[in-house]
Amino acid sequence: MKQDMILILDLGSEANPRLAREIRAMGVYTEIHPHDISAEELEALPGVKGIILNGGPNRVVDGVEIDAGPAVYGSGIPLLCIEHSGAPALSEDTREQTLRSFVFDTCRAEANWNMDNFISDQVELIRRQVGTKKVLLALSGGVDSSVVAALLIRAIGKQLTCVHVNHGLLRKGEPEQVVQVFRHEMDANLIYVDAVDRFLNKLSGVSDPERKRKIIGTEFIRVFEEESRKLEGIDFLAQGTIYPDIIESGTKTVKAVKSHHNVGGLPEDLGFQLVEPLKMLFKDEVRACGKALGLPDSMVYRQPFPGPGLGVRCLGAITRDRLEAVRESDAILREEFAKNGLEGKVWQYFTAIPDLKSVGVRDGRRADEWCVIIRAVNTVDAMTATVENVPFDLLQHITARITAEVQGVNRVLFDLTPKPSGTIEWE
Ligand code: XMP
């Protein structure tokens, strides 16, 4: 293995992710594992130079204070115990010094955590886990699944089969990009499933947003299951689980961490073992990994996009004409933001199309057509958001393009509402 590791054992501290990041910022790789790691599990972890027992207020579970077992205390690996509850807080400087001295003096860890080393270690671990067997991946084209695909292609090539389900709710050019990058440039086994009609038929006449979400999610799983049944001899399912997914499903008790199951909500009874090579990476590290693996910037740095896709931006019951209008207007917005230096600056920007027509003038005649709403927001955690101050002349230019180029749209509105009172999406 190329990199040293400091292992953080979860004794119920909410500060584990922060601690992991602090040590990674020193150039040393970290992983967080449950407190009750067994001797075999510990032995299987490569390059462990030190162990930090990070306790906190949640250390007591069901009236019992949890602690690491003999596997840890008897391992001979240097240990540092940090206990948050009740102890007087250390100053930031003292804390940093204590950590540094533990990592570099006591453990003699080397600052060799970088993406190239991470990738070569993961390649080795994936090969070891998978052997000569076959792996299946649902490849949406989002950052996480794309990076997993690229990493697995590097590790096991054609032993990986990617399934891309086009549900008709992706942005303009996205399904084509998935095929181009993975099938043509990376030479992957890629099954492209055109499920557009199937999804749109299921969604026909459904206007309640939560029902729409549910239909899209359930149908996705069905299509994926059908495809996976057609394949033979698959033992592993790869998933783009990343560290924040695990944090969100609960780090407070060790149990919650262990019982975590990702992400696209794929059912457990598919009978596969999981391969989750990004599960210890934060989002910025996932992007760096994707870049190091040669994925295009437009894939690696793409803005957040909801799982149900344009389905929740074509408001109310989805119709094909409005779906096309929202896709085309979104493409124009993205093109203009890119041209005007806003692409990397604004956190999320898109168009939505309400089920609303208004009268306008087209070719000298009065005509009832749709309107499109532009949304452009900035946020840190998506819990609150502010509206980007988009230059007025750019908004006018985008309006002119959308009303000229997008069929059936005669008005463009700009959403000035922060979150709260609005949400980022319209439904
Ligand atoms: P809201 O609209 O709740 O959105 O302010 C916050 C962030 O979450 C995204 N979002 C979703 N992502 N499935 C997803 O994967 C969904 O159903 C969904 N709804 C909203 C939204 O795009 C924003 O980034």
Side-chain angles (χ1 to χ4, degrees), residues 111-297:
N112 54 11
W113 151 244
N114 61 50
M115 263 317 140
D116 289 341
N117 287 344
F118 175 81
I119 289 167
S120 63
D121 281 357
Q122 285 302 323
V123 163
E124 201 178 319
L125 289 170
I126 292 165
R127 286 182 184 156
R128 207 185 284 169
Q129 182 187 7
V130 169
T132 56
K133 300 202 164 128
K134 290 185 184 162
V135 183
L136 183 64
L137 169 72
L139 175 58
S140 68
V143 180
D144 305 335
S145 68
S146 297
V147 176
V148 169
L151 191 50
L152 281 157
I153 291 163
R154 171 84 55 100
I156 55 166
K158 296 267 166 128
Q159 283 167 257
L160 172 72
T161 300
C162 304
V163 175
H164 177 68
V165 178
N166 181 3
H167 51 27
L169 306 169
L170 295 170
R171 286 171 292 197
K172 189 173 180 177
E174 284 184 329
E176 293 83 358
Q177 186 185 38
V178 168
V179 172
Q180 173 61 28
V181 168
F182 292 100
R183 183 180 287 164
H184 299 309
E185 290 169 23
M186 297 198 164
D187 196 28
N189 270 331
L190 173 72
I191 297 173
Y192 171 87
V193 187
D194 179 348
V196 176
D197 287 341
R198 180 170 169 166
F199 275 81
L200 295 187
N201 290 342
K202 281 267 171 200
L203 287 162
S204 168
V206 179
S207 56
D208 175 59
E210 290 318 307
R211 266 197 72 209
K212 286 164 68 177
R213 279 188 169 80
K214 195 146 185 63
I215 289 171
I216 296 164
T218 310
E219 206 53 22
F220 177 84
I221 290 167
R222 283 208 188 118
V223 173
F224 185 75
E225 278 181 331
E226 283 171 25
E227 290 305 317
S228 69
R229 284 208 190 91
K230 290 184 203 159
L231 301 166
E232 278 175 15
I234 305 256
D235 288 287
F236 292 91
L237 183 71
Q239 292 200 333
T241 315
I242 70 171
Y243 194 54
D245 300 329
I246 293 180
I247 296 171
E248 272 157 32
S249 69
T251 49
K252 282 187 192 152
T253 71
V254 175
K255 224 157 117 210
V257 176
K258 275 194 155 169
S259 67
H260 162 78
H261 281 283
N262 179 281
V263 129
L266 291 172
E268 288 169 50
D269 58 10
L270 284 176
F272 299 120
Q273 295 176 61
L274 289 182
V275 182
E276 296 177 297
L278 307 180
K279 73 175 175 202
M280 286 297 164
L281 294 190
F282 294 93
K283 195 78 183 190
D284 54 321
E285 296 168 339
V286 173
R287 294 188 207 279
C289 182
K291 204 156 163 53
L293 287 162
L295 290 176
D297 282 2

Side-chain angles (χ1 to χ4, degrees), residues 213 304-308 312-313 347-348 382 419 423-425 427:
R213 279 188 169 80
F305 186 60
V312 290
R313 295 178 180 170
W347 194 81
Q348 199 172 15
K419 176 181 181 175
T423 48
I424 294 175
E425 302 290 345
E427 62 174 33

